[in-house]
Amino acid sequence: MAPKRQKSPSRKTGVKGKVKDNLTPSPMEKPDHPDDIYPIVLTTATQELFECCIDEDVTEQSPYKLLEKDDIIQDIKTRAAVSDFHPVKQFVLDYPEDEILLVFDVDFTYGQSFYLVLTPEAKARIYNVLQPPQPEIIVLEDDVSKTPEPKPWISLGSELEVDQESVKETREKLCYKFDLKRRPGLPVCFSDRNSTEAECRSVACPSYQDSRFSIKQMQRDCGMQAVPKLQSSTAQTERAVQRNVFTQYEPRELREKEKENILRSEKLKKFVNSVTPRVLHALQQAHIMNVFTDDFKALGIGAEASDQLVMVSEGLKLQWTFTDEKRAMGKKISSVSWHPTIHGLIAVTFIKKQEEQLDKSTVYINSPAFIVFYGFPDQSNPRLLLECPDDIFAFEFCPSNPNVIVGGCRNGKVVLWDISFHIPHLQGTRPNSKKASDSDSDTDTFDLGNKKENKTPVMSYCAVSSIESSHKSPVTDVQWLPKTFEVTRTGVPVQKISNMSVQVVTCSPDCVMFWDLRVPKLQNQFLADRKQDVDQKTMMTPYSIPTTFKHLDRTWKPLFRVSLPKIDTSGEYAPLKFSLEHYTCNSNTGRNTDNENDGAEVLPEYSQLRIPSAKTLKTLDDVNTKFYVGTEEGEIVYTDWKLEEDEFGRKFSAKPLLCFRTHAWFVNTMQRSPFFKDILLTTGGWNFAIWKEGVMGGPIFVGPSSEQEYSAACWSLSRSAVFFIGRNDGSIEVWNLLLNTSEPTHVHEHVASTRITCIKPCITASKQHYLAVADNLGVLRVFNVPKALRSPVKNEDLNMQIFFDQENDRLKDYLEWEELWAKPRKEEGESKKQVEPDKPVTFQVDSEEADLKEYSDYLKLEESILEHTGL
Amino acid sequence: MAEVEETLKRIQGQKGVQGIIVANSEGIPIKSTLDNSSTVQYAGLIHQLVMKARSTIRDIDPQNDLTFMRVRSKKNEIMIAPDKDFFLIVIQNPSD
């Protein structure tokens, strides 16, 4: 308490002696304020009451204690004269503040163990001066408890200036009142008067410059502010040295011994016992009731029910209709194909109808054939036109490189296009085409033709096969071989090195041919010098022909051809459509997909590719080289494309393994199910059939014959049990094999006005399901597939698999039965030459036979009766 | 210890139970029927979850305390029984 000690002697310089002399409570004074320190004695009782026990609450280090004034007054009241505070009662009552400072006087400077500070100023002084060593909380309390006092105002001369500046009234405001005495009742005359006229004498006092008198402005108030025009400042942060720091941590684990200890402890036992009932309860709850059911989703089980309901109400909604008057005039659409990658792009080929084929020469000049690309949403302007040498019956985009298109013509040639130049136009310029159509509609219609021509780019074909080696009849089906394998000159499937599809299979009523896009080995030297002249990447104008397939142009020959000799008789089948089994090679898929991703952007240079020698490639034994062919007469033929050698070493095609006359007329569709690799849908004539690869007995399911001819069919891409069939009258039948196998689930009547030629579904990236329907008038309609038809029902795949298996078994059983009974039947009638598993047909035949029998019996009976009666 | 074992076996024997973990109050596993890495992961993560949940309950009402927690996920359900010194984790597959 050094400072205190210093203070006390300085303060009480002359008075110290006084203190020592008289122990009476005569107040010690400070120079400024008398009577502000009052030493008092506090008994232990009082000390306890006020919580200021010596050495407990108040010590040498913290001798200060703030006592509530109310408490002291209370104490005085309760204990009256006995209270220690009695002598200071008056001071306490007069004390302006609420807290009085009590100081523990260690050194008995004032003569007693405690002294009371009686005035706020002294308290403030003692308290605040010795504040620094004490905690801040007390300071705050002190500051807060003291209200700030307003200090008296010291005049520094500013009031004079204020007075000068202020505006005061020097005299009272004068008020004048003007009055004109008139006698009331006299007539009044009011008139208008313009104030600007000279007669009205309005007095105004305009201001004017008086020359006799001028005031010089002595003082002008103006303010200045300095504003920097440009200020630049920089700051630099301290760049700490970068260091690589790693932290690796592992979880804390207890040692075995500790674990054992804990396991043995009582606590654990208790815990487990207490917790187990709850846990068991919860477990049983979860077991009793499936708490994970999503009730909302469970409502969706009604999808099966709604299958039957919604079919009626909701149908295929027509989204777009694409027509091109110029090119579609009098033609029918032969083939439709969606672009595999670009959304909303669909390609259509037109062919002339049969009747107009008479005058071939004029037809050829008048309207050249095109493949027309339509893009959403432009319904009348095609995006791109591809020139064809003749009407294209079938075409397909290359699966690995969607810029390459192969097509088959009416004259039997196979044509190749490369549209990579126009891809940006096809993909991006939708606003352009929109603008084009807008401007078309704005300007006069006469120029429509011109404008269209300008906007739609036309591209010619890259390569066409040589005339001698092409087909002799129109090419009716074209397919790319999948990129997983390739075939050699003899048809042996071998492993593929590169990851692109380079081989094409075409079929026409004369034979099936396999083609390869690459340069055959024999022509190597021949083309070598040719190639040097031609630049690899020439700049192309829109009308120039890309040189991608220059090496094939007009010299393209197929690898080999497969003919289909008839099984029983001589002659050949006339294939119209075919279907291969897609082979996915298992061993290299991982590597291949990586390669594909890398090489996705690299367009292959076909002219650089060479057909590898057959010896260098590994033969793939598990590729199914057999394929299904649908013929002109409605037969489905199952044959092997591998060429066999006869005794002279010549290659020839083997006889087909199977042939079934399922359909009555042309087979117009053969399509594999996108869900089951071995299920095939074929339509032709008046019915459809479902085949399973590997089942030799025939189709596992044949649909009922309908009144209308079936002209096109396609599987649904998202539902394994649904497929669409297009009819001759322009209707689409929707079949759902899980619901009804004897009739279509729904028929959309007259979707098109005439015969439907092609149906193709598509699922775009935005989960939109479209169905493109092409008809005989050259109109392409795109429908939106409703939700009921596109969202698969629970376990649909499984059910379909079961259905197919059931049908398979049924077929097998039937065949066995047939075998047992076929022999005697064969002896009876000759109409059953082949095994016909076609159930309706056999029933018909059976019933016919039975009818005949009955009729003949009846005739006999009639005769006998007549004889009897004597007629 | 045998008693504890027996009780845990009873819980394990319930239908659909995939695993049980007993951990101490710091989240260090003491006993488990799963493999070590999963055990350690579950114990650590669930310890944090339990602490958070418990502090939530007690913040709302200081006289309340967490007695049981069930976390249902798509694939299974995790049940946690906390205590002062330990907590028990049971992972169960739903009944279907």
Side-chain angles (χ1 to χ4, degrees):
Chain A
M1 295 304 292
K4 184 168 165 286
R5 271 207 203 120
Q6 286 167 357
K7 279 259 160 18
S8 38
S10 65
R11 283 204 194 140
K12 299 172 280 310
T13 37
V15 189
K16 198 170 179 181
K18 243 197 205 167
V19 169
K20 290 243 164 70
D21 290 347
N22 45 356
L23 298 169
T24 56
S26 55
M28 297 319 299
E29 51 168 89
K30 293 201 176 46
D32 306 331
H33 306 270
D35 292 327
D36 60 351
I37 303 290
Y38 190 84
I40 58 169
V41 181
L42 296 179
T43 59
T44 36
T46 323
Q47 282 178 23
E48 278 172 15
L49 199 64
F50 284 95
E51 288 174 2
C52 49
C53 298
I54 298 178
D55 290 333
E56 271 186 31
D57 300 309
V58 285
T59 55
E60 203 174 311
Q61 275 73 42
S62 62
Y64 300 96
K65 187 87 188 142
L66 289 165
L67 305 175
E68 294 282 338
K69 176 177 156 190
D70 295 328
D71 291 343
I72 300 176
I73 295 173
Q74 197 69 29
D75 185 58
I76 294 170
K77 281 191 189 149
T78 46
R79 299 203 286 171
V82 186
S83 167
D84 297 329
F85 292 103
H86 185 72
V88 289
K89 177 180 166 184
Q90 195 52 46
F91 291 115
V92 169
L93 286 171
D94 294 337
Y95 196 72
E97 290 181 2
D98 286 332
E99 289 186 329
I100 303 180
L101 179 66
L102 176 76
V103 188
F104 170 52
D105 200 345
V106 181
D107 309 320
F108 285 82
T109 40
Y110 296 122
Q112 304 292 355
S113 54
F114 288 89
Y115 64 85
L116 208 61
V117 175
L118 295 175
T119 58
E121 294 91 5
K123 170 182 153 193
R125 208 157 299 148
I126 299 173
Y127 213 46
N128 294 334
V129 160
L130 295 172
Q131 208 40 66
Q134 287 172 10
E136 286 181 349
I137 304 163
I138 308 173
V139 171
L140 279 171
E141 277 178 19
D142 206 30
D143 283 346
V144 165
S145 58
K146 248 174 131 182
T147 54
E149 291 168 6
K151 296 198 189 76
W153 179 64
I154 306 164
S155 164
L156 294 167
S158 58
E159 70 262 26
L160 299 164
E161 286 170 5
V162 170
D163 282 341
Q164 280 173 359
E165 293 293 317
S166 63
V167 174
K168 290 193 198 75
E169 291 179 357
T170 47
R171 59 169 169 78
E172 213 184 72
K173 286 204 180 88
L174 301 171
C175 179
Y176 293 95
K177 188 170 165 198
F178 295 92
D179 228 356
L180 183 63
K181 276 232 159 44
R182 6 183 13 257
R183 277 206 321 267
L186 288 177
V188 183
C189 167
F190 287 118
S191 67
D192 289 332
R193 209 175 243 188
N194 202 348
S195 64
T196 56
E197 286 165 36
E199 311 115 37
C200 71
R201 261 175 246 151
S202 61
V203 179
C205 302
S207 61
Y208 65 97
Q209 182 98 3
D210 198 345
S211 50
R212 312 167 284 165
F213 179 68
S214 71
I215 303 177
K216 196 166 156 194
Q217 194 168 26
M218 298 296 291
Q219 194 178 34
R220 194 207 305 229
D221 291 322
C222 71
M224 298 257 284
Q225 184 179 18
V227 172
K229 250 172 52 177
L230 184 70
Q231 192 171 9
S232 75
S233 70
T234 58
Q236 185 164 20
T237 58
E238 194 186 301
R239 189 160 169 268
V241 174
Q242 284 175 340
R243 241 179 303 150
N244 286 333
V245 178
F246 294 95
T247 314
Q248 193 170 15
Y249 55 91
E250 59 176 36
R252 270 195 305 173
E253 283 177 353
L254 296 173
R255 286 195 300 274
E256 277 303 317
K257 240 179 54 166
E258 288 175 358
K259 280 196 198 167
E260 298 253 326
N261 281 341
I262 296 177
L263 281 172
R264 260 188 239 117
S265 68
E266 257 315 301
K267 273 203 215 168
L268 186 71
K269 225 196 275 189
K270 253 201 306 188
F271 160 70
V272 169
N273 285 335
S274 70
V275 136
T276 305
R278 239 181 267 135
V279 171
L280 285 174
H281 177 69
L283 283 170
Q284 282 161 0
Q285 263 182 359
H287 175 46
I288 291 168
M289 185 184 91
N290 182 10
V291 290
F292 287 97
T293 48
D294 186 351
D295 291 329
F296 197 62
K297 226 185 214 175
L299 285 177
I301 291 172
E304 272 173 347
S306 76
D307 245 355
Q308 293 150 0
L309 299 170
V310 178
M311 284 295 186
V312 179
S313 54
E314 212 181 291
L316 298 168
K317 290 199 197 85
L318 179 59
Q319 190 97 1
W320 288 290
T321 313
F322 293 99
T323 49
D324 191 6
E325 301 89 27
K326 275 200 71 186
R327 281 160 273 269
M329 195 88 69
K331 295 197 200 165
K332 63 176 181 179
I333 295 178
S334 62
S335 182
V336 174
S337 190
W338 292 88
H339 194 280
T341 48
I342 299 179
H343 159 77
L345 199 60
I346 186 166
V348 166
T349 57
F350 297 100
I351 57 171
K352 280 138 223 117
K353 295 199 215 169
Q354 295 292 105
E355 310 88 62
E356 290 190 24
Q357 235 182 336
L358 305 164
D359 200 0
K360 272 195 186 155
S361 53
T362 48
V363 155
Y364 189 75
I365 299 168
N366 274 351
S367 43
F370 286 107
I371 295 186
V372 186
F373 277 72
Y374 290 112
F376 299 166
D378 196 0
Q379 294 192 27
S380 42
N381 286 343
R383 292 275 190 91
L384 178 64
L385 297 170
L386 294 180
E387 253 181 39
C388 327
D390 199 358
D391 283 344
I392 299 276
F393 271 63
F395 72 101
E396 199 173 329
F397 289 93
C398 173
S400 58
N401 180 10
N403 297 336
V404 175
I405 303 166
V406 69
C409 292
R410 182 191 289 271
N411 51 17
K413 292 203 197 150
V414 181
V415 191
L416 278 172
W417 290 270
D418 180 5
I419 57 168
S420 41
F421 182 72
H422 288 286
I423 284 298
H425 168 75
L426 288 172
Q427 271 174 338
T429 56
R430 234 183 254 182
N432 257 358
S433 62
K434 242 195 170 169
K435 264 194 274 177
S437 53
D438 284 339
S439 65
D440 278 350
S441 54
D442 288 340
T443 59
D444 53 325
T445 50
F446 297 124
D447 274 327
L448 251 179
N450 253 355
K451 283 238 164 65
K452 262 200 209 166
E453 287 287 59
N454 286 346
K455 294 291 185 284
T456 316
V458 180
M459 190 156 192
S460 180
Y461 50 89
C462 274
V464 69
S465 59
S466 68
I467 303 177
E468 318 86 47
S469 23
S470 305
H471 291 280
K472 307 285 177 292
S473 15
V475 178
T476 49
D477 201 3
V478 171
Q479 271 184 30
W480 289 87
L481 269 183
K483 52 186 182 242
T484 44
F485 70 96
E486 60 183 52
V487 287
T488 61
R489 286 190 157 273
T490 52
V492 176
V494 288
Q495 197 176 39
K496 211 158 181 83
I497 299 176
S498 63
N499 212 6
M500 323 172 289
S501 298
V502 284
Q503 296 190 327
V504 183
V505 187
T506 61
C507 104
S508 93
D510 56 345
C511 61
V512 175
M513 289 192 190
F514 281 69
W515 306 73
D516 196 308
L517 288 184
R518 296 170 293 189
V519 178
K521 261 180 81 176
L522 308 162
Q523 299 188 6
N524 250 351
Q525 301 91 338
F526 194 60
L527 290 175
D529 28 21
R530 256 175 124 192
K531 250 204 314 39
Q532 257 127 34
D533 304 337
V534 177
D535 239 9
Q536 298 298 355
K537 289 201 198 297
T538 50
M539 282 308 296
M540 292 201 307
T541 67
Y543 295 105
S544 73
I545 302 168
T547 54
T548 329
F549 296 110
K550 204 82 183 145
H551 55 280
L552 295 171
D553 199 10
R554 270 175 270 270
T555 54
W556 202 13
K557 278 209 261 265
L559 279 177
F560 63 95
R561 59 183 74 200
V562 180
S563 58
L564 306 165
K566 287 208 178 161
I567 293 179
D568 301 331
T569 60
S570 65
E572 291 190 353
Y573 294 113
L576 281 184
K577 300 270 176 194
F578 65 94
S579 173
L580 311 160
E581 184 175 341
H582 271 246
Y583 170 73
T584 48
C585 101
N586 296 322
S587 54
N588 287 338
T589 33
R591 200 157 51 82
N592 279 350
T593 47
D594 286 337
N595 285 348
E596 193 190 316
N597 287 337
D598 296 335
E601 302 307 320
V602 176
L603 289 175
E605 280 288 337
Y606 290 101
S607 48
Q608 300 281 46
L609 298 172
R610 299 272 174 279
I611 299 177
S613 144
K615 302 184 195 83
T616 58
L617 295 171
K618 185 179 96 167
T619 318
L620 292 172
D621 291 321
D622 43 348
V623 174
N624 190 7
T625 56
K626 304 184 192 54
F627 64 119
Y628 282 94
V629 179
T631 68
E632 266 179 357
E633 267 126 48
E635 292 143 343
I636 306 290
V637 180
Y638 188 51
T639 182
D640 195 333
W641 75 58
K642 267 197 295 215
L643 296 174
E644 287 180 4
E645 280 195 13
D646 62 1
E647 50 281 4
F648 300 112
R650 276 181 313 178
K651 304 274 192 296
F652 72 99
S653 303
K655 286 228 167 173
L657 299 156
L658 305 164
C659 171
F660 297 105
R661 186 89 191 273
T662 333
H663 303 290
W665 214 25
F666 296 152
V667 171
N668 49 43
T669 309
M670 291 188 75
Q671 201 186 20
R672 301 241 164 198
S673 167
F675 294 89
F676 303 103
K677 284 284 159 275
D678 49 357
I679 299 289
L680 197 64
L681 170 73
T682 62
T683 47
W686 283 269
N687 62 355
F688 69 89
I690 295 185
W691 305 76
K692 191 175 160 94
E693 183 116 23
V695 171
M696 300 292 167
I700 58 173
F701 179 78
V702 178
S705 301
S706 88
E707 298 143 357
Q708 291 280 335
E709 194 190 330
Y710 286 158
S711 48
C714 74
W715 288 95
S716 158
L717 288 179
S718 55
R719 292 192 66 179
S720 51
V722 173
F723 54 92
F724 303 94
I725 298 186
R727 298 210 301 225
N728 204 13
D729 60 351
S731 317
I732 292 183
E733 285 181 8
V734 180
W735 285 77
N736 186 338
L737 287 175
L738 285 177
L739 282 185
N740 205 339
T741 54
S742 57
E743 58 170 20
T745 329
H746 192 55
V747 180
H748 297 272
E749 294 286 345
H750 300 294
V751 151
S753 34
T754 58
R755 178 195 172 98
I756 291 178
T757 50
C758 191
I759 305 183
K760 282 274 166 67
C762 163
I763 301 181
T764 62
S766 51
K767 303 282 186 248
Q768 300 259 21
H769 287 54
Y770 294 120
L771 201 65
V773 177
D775 71 356
N776 231 10
L777 281 182
V779 178
L780 176 70
R781 291 181 177 81
V782 176
F783 292 89
N784 226 337
V785 179
K787 193 159 193 304
L789 285 176
R790 68 168 181 245
S791 46
V793 168
K794 211 166 100 162
N795 293 334
E796 190 162 335
D797 292 346
L798 212 60
N799 290 340
M800 276 315 284
Q801 188 67 45
I802 296 171
F803 172 77
F804 288 134
D805 291 338
Q806 276 176 353
E807 293 296 320
N808 201 4
D809 292 337
R810 190 149 52 116
L811 177 68
K812 267 198 269 184
D813 292 338
Y814 179 76
L815 289 173
E816 279 173 17
W817 177 84
E818 262 259 323
E819 281 253 336
L820 285 176
W821 297 99
K823 286 190 192 123
R825 279 268 181 83
K826 260 188 185 164
E827 288 155 17
E828 276 183 26
E830 79 282 349
S831 55
K832 292 202 187 69
K833 237 199 282 190
Q834 287 171 349
V835 176
E836 291 212 23
D838 208 350
K839 268 180 147 189
V841 177
T842 47
F843 273 147
Q844 275 175 14
V845 173
D846 279 353
S847 59
E848 264 180 45
E849 281 241 335
D851 284 346
L852 276 171
K853 248 188 164 173
E854 261 188 54
Y855 187 62
S856 58
D857 286 341
Y858 165 72
L859 280 175
K860 278 193 202 132
L861 184 64
E862 198 186 47
E863 266 183 41
S864 67
I865 294 175
L866 284 173
E867 272 176 24
H868 215 71
T869 54
L871 284 168
Chain B
M1 179 153 154
E3 212 182 285
V4 165
E5 288 278 349
E6 195 241 306
T7 317
L8 291 179
K9 267 211 181 39
R10 249 172 69 206
I11 299 179
Q12 175 84 25
Q14 288 282 323
K15 197 152 177 211
V17 170
Q18 281 178 330
I20 310 183
I21 303 169
V22 178
N24 71 353
S25 53
E26 292 177 347
I28 309 176
I30 298 170
K31 183 149 177 60
S32 161
T33 61
L34 301 169
D35 57 289
N36 194 32
S37 52
S38 317
T39 302
V40 150
Q41 193 178 26
Y42 264 106
L45 291 170
I46 289 183
H47 167 67
Q48 292 176 25
L49 184 66
V50 164
M51 287 300 118
K52 195 72 181 174
R54 183 183 261 147
S55 71
T56 306
I57 301 285
R58 294 194 70 143
D59 269 351
I60 294 169
D61 179 9
Q63 312 207 310
N64 209 351
D65 196 9
L66 185 66
T67 51
F68 198 75
M69 257 184 88
R70 282 167 107 167
V71 181
R72 274 177 214 150
S73 72
K74 265 204 267 195
K75 295 188 185 166
N76 46 23
E77 180 164 352
I78 304 173
M79 286 167 224
I80 308 148
D83 191 61
K84 195 159 75 96
D85 312 307
F86 305 96
F87 56 97
L88 174 72
I89 306 167
V90 178
I91 304 146
Q92 187 199 30
N93 238 338
S95 53
D96 57 10

